Amino acid sequence: MYELHFGVPMAGAVLCTLNIRHDSSMVAVLLKHSEAKIMFVDHQYLQIVSGALEILSKTGAKVPHLVLIQEFDQPVAVSIPGNLEYESLLASGKPDFEVKRPNDEWDPISLNYTSGTTSSPKGVIYSHRGAYLNSFAAILLNEMGSMPVYLWCVPMFHCNGWCLTWAVAAQGGTNICLRSVSADAIFDSIVRYKVTHMGGAPTVLNTIINAPAGVRKALPGKVIVMTGGAPPPSQVLFGMEELGFNVMHSYGLTETYGPGTICTWKPEWDSLPRDAQAKIKARQGLQHLGMEEVDIKDPVTMKSVPPDAKTMGEVMFRGNTVMNGYLKNTKATEEAFGGGWFRSGDLGVRHSDGYIELRDRSKDIIISGGENISTIEVESVLFSHPAVLEAAVVGRPDEHWGETPCAFVKLKEGHNAAADEIIKYCRDRLPHYMAPRSVVFDDLPKTSTGKVQKFVLKEKVKAMGSLSKRTSKL
């Protein structure tokens, strides 16, 4: 995958990396939509791709050529007539091949399908210019010096690895790749290769801090970790720092080439209490140097909200590191750029120092009895419970209140907590209307990038029905 991030654009083609968690039917949909001509597939996912090609052939669509990437020490015994094997394909290349540079810097370099946490995937088009600028921004955001050693816990199919695929190469770095992400593999890799940088969603950080004592290892040096995808809970930040990691919090979307903002730390915050530091570090911060502007605006009037840390608006971006648009979807593109800004769909506030802070997804905000409830705030309290490993909050339909908060919780191994205890814990730390009224103990469904699939949880709470009965109004 890393090699293809250079080989495909240099051949004048457009790179389209697909999520390894998709099933055959989804892969078939994306192959048809992208009109891919060549498909590279790792041996581990050959069965899924074979199923996708079979589905595609039945629709009458053109089936892409297949290039199989075999396991080095144990080649896969599989026949793929009319197709190629990766190493053989490379061996047939011409050493004097002339790189096909883009005719225009706005030409597409890659097509990325959104993770589909809230809707069906859309194809996001990145330009050569945007990728170039965001790669250099990624170097700055990660405080990446010459010859870094980068441990890959961020999937390269997600925003082209937050553009770090190109950034690490620009600094002459070494890439450490994991076939599967685990605490054991992370600590072993850090110690063995003297890792300097890594990245991952808060779920990856959670895995690290909850690793058994026998798995943890002392870090050989400072390891800078960039996290994003969701605001990291304070307990996760504390845990990472205690282990010796330096956590950088970024925020962005597929449509902003991954990281679009960074919570730049100010020296005067060092003297604040730990809880206050954690709350600041969980903010999304300011736009990076490759992004022209980020703002919190009223989505109707398009006026900027006051920097009072209270007035909510929609997070909006503009600049060269915002997507060209959605492939074959003019309507969605026009809606996304309504008013001349890219509308993220995220709700947030702006602080007096200009730093922004997310409150929720516009689709996830809970309205209970006319009151807006930020699921992020409730989840932050849940994460502070000593027995809670993972938590997500969604609105449960309610005949009286409209919606009430429902918490989905996964407990730490060897810990116990009853629903009533969790609810009381939240009520002691939040306004009562914000506290969950129901708790479900279960594993949380996630995308491959670590985001909780709240649409799955919303379907579950719909099936659960209302807690209270409708009351008549006089």
Side-chain angles (χ1 to χ4, degrees):
M1 179 74 89
Y2 194 82
E3 291 172 355
L4 291 169
H5 267 82
F6 298 87
V8 171
M10 289 166 75
V14 177
L15 183 66
C16 177
T17 57
L18 299 185
N19 190 326
I20 58 173
R21 288 192 177 180
H22 287 326
D23 58 16
S24 295
S25 58
M26 179 57 79
V27 171
V29 168
L30 300 184
L31 288 176
K32 186 174 182 179
H33 185 262
S34 64
E35 298 182 53
K37 296 176 181 176
I38 302 172
M39 184 169 196
F40 295 83
V41 57
D42 183 274
H43 63 91
Q44 187 176 340
Y45 307 105
L46 181 59
Q47 189 173 354
I48 293 171
V49 171
S50 297
L53 297 184
E54 186 178 345
I55 293 169
L56 201 61
S57 64
K58 291 177 181 177
T59 66
K62 194 169 182 179
V63 176
H65 289 284
L66 192 69
V67 179
L68 177 65
I69 301 164
Q70 300 198 73
E71 200 167 359
F72 284 111
D73 54 350
Q74 294 179 332
V76 176
V78 62
S79 175
I80 44 173
N83 292 292
L84 300 165
E85 188 274 324
Y86 183 70
E87 295 299 331
S88 300
L89 177 65
L90 292 188
S92 68
K94 298 177 181 177
D96 60 347
F97 175 80
E98 188 175 339
V99 174
K100 295 184 183 296
R101 299 189 180 275
N103 296 318
D104 188 293
E105 62 184 350
W106 289 109
D107 284 351
I109 188 173
S110 68
L111 175 67
N112 293 284
Y113 284 96
T114 60
S115 57
T117 54
T118 57
S119 62
S120 57
K122 295 189 287 284
V124 174
I125 301 170
Y126 288 0
S127 69
H128 280 261
R129 178 179 177 82
Y132 178 84
L133 288 171
N134 216 71
S135 297
F136 280 110
I139 293 170
L140 295 171
L141 297 183
N142 286 272
E143 299 180 354
M144 193 174 280
S146 178
M147 298 186 182
V149 180
Y150 190 83
L151 176 63
W152 281 94
C153 298
V154 177
M156 290 181 201
F157 61 74
H158 180 60
C159 309
N160 300 108
W162 295 350
C163 289
L164 282 155
T165 45
W166 301 303
V168 174
Q171 291 298 86
T174 299
N175 296 275
I176 310 301
C177 302
L178 302 176
R179 185 161 281 271
S180 59
V181 177
S182 66
D184 202 0
I186 289 171
F187 279 106
D188 282 350
S189 297
I190 290 173
V191 173
R192 181 178 179 185
Y193 300 108
K194 294 181 171 56
V195 168
T196 60
H197 296 78
M198 60 177 285
T203 50
V204 173
L205 275 52
N206 210 14
T207 298
I208 292 171
I209 65 172
N210 286 290
V215 170
R216 295 185 188 183
K217 290 180 172 65
L219 306 186
K222 184 174 74 170
V223 180
I224 293 177
V225 184
M226 176 165 279
T227 190
S234 57
Q235 281 64 34
V236 172
L237 290 174
F238 293 153
M240 289 294 287
E241 288 170 0
E242 286 169 1
L243 290 172
F245 294 91
N246 183 10
V247 181
M248 314 281 288
H249 181 210
S250 66
Y251 157 69
L253 306 93
T254 305
E255 290 87 345
T256 61
Y257 292 68
T261 72
I262 185 74
C263 188
T264 304
W265 191 253
K266 298 180 182 181
E268 55 264 35
W269 292 336
D270 289 337
S271 59
L272 294 174
R274 286 183 75 197
D275 284 343
Q277 288 189 30
K279 286 180 180 177
I280 291 172
K281 207 159 195 175
R283 292 176 188 170
Q284 283 61 42
L286 306 166
Q287 76 268 21
H288 62 60
L289 290 175
M291 180 71 69
E292 182 184 347
E293 197 171 358
V294 63
D295 199 5
I296 308 287
K297 290 180 173 293
D298 182 306
V300 178
T301 66
M302 292 300 288
K303 289 184 178 179
S304 300
V305 302
D308 57 9
K310 293 179 182 177
T311 308
M312 277 206 295
E314 186 174 357
V315 183
M316 300 190 190
F317 295 87
R318 65 180 176 187
N320 290 305
T321 55
V322 177
M323 68 168 181
N324 288 19
Y326 297 115
L327 180 67
K328 301 177 186 176
N329 199 333
T330 304
K331 184 173 181 287
T333 301
E334 289 174 349
E335 288 175 354
F337 286 102
W341 290 68
F342 170 68
R343 297 166 176 254
S344 69
D346 289 325
L347 300 177
V349 298
R350 186 182 284 280
H351 291 264
S352 58
D353 59 4
Y355 281 50
I356 70 166
E357 182 179 1
L358 290 194
R359 285 287 188 256
D360 224 327
R361 288 286 300 172
S362 59
K363 294 177 182 177
D364 292 339
I365 201 88
I366 298 171
I367 303 175
S368 184
E371 297 283 355
N372 285 357
I373 299 173
S374 164
T375 60
I376 291 174
E377 286 188 60
V378 184
E379 288 162 2
S380 179
V381 171
L382 286 165
F383 269 108
S384 70
H385 190 287
V388 172
L389 177 66
E390 296 176 349
V393 176
V394 296
R396 178 176 177 176
D398 191 90
E399 291 182 4
H400 177 65
W401 298 106
E403 288 182 302
T404 57
C406 177
F408 284 81
V409 172
K410 182 178 180 180
L411 299 177
K412 294 177 182 177
E413 192 172 341
H415 288 71
N416 294 301
D420 288 347
E421 178 191 336
I422 298 288
I423 292 170
K424 183 181 184 303
Y425 183 86
C426 292
R427 286 172 69 89
D428 289 344
R429 291 162 177 78
L430 289 167
H432 286 190
Y433 74 89
M434 292 182 67
R437 293 191 64 199
S438 50
V439 178
V440 178
F441 295 98
D442 200 358
D443 286 339
L444 274 58
K446 300 186 191 74
T447 68
S448 54
T449 56
K451 292 181 183 177
V452 174
Q453 293 176 309
K454 287 199 170 180
F455 71 93
V456 176
L457 301 182
K458 287 175 183 177
E459 289 301 316
K460 288 187 177 183
V461 294
K462 276 184 187 176
M464 289 163 61
S466 173
L467 267 177
S468 57
K469 293 182 178 179
R470 187 180 300 277
T471 57
S472 59
K473 295 181 180 180
L474 297 177

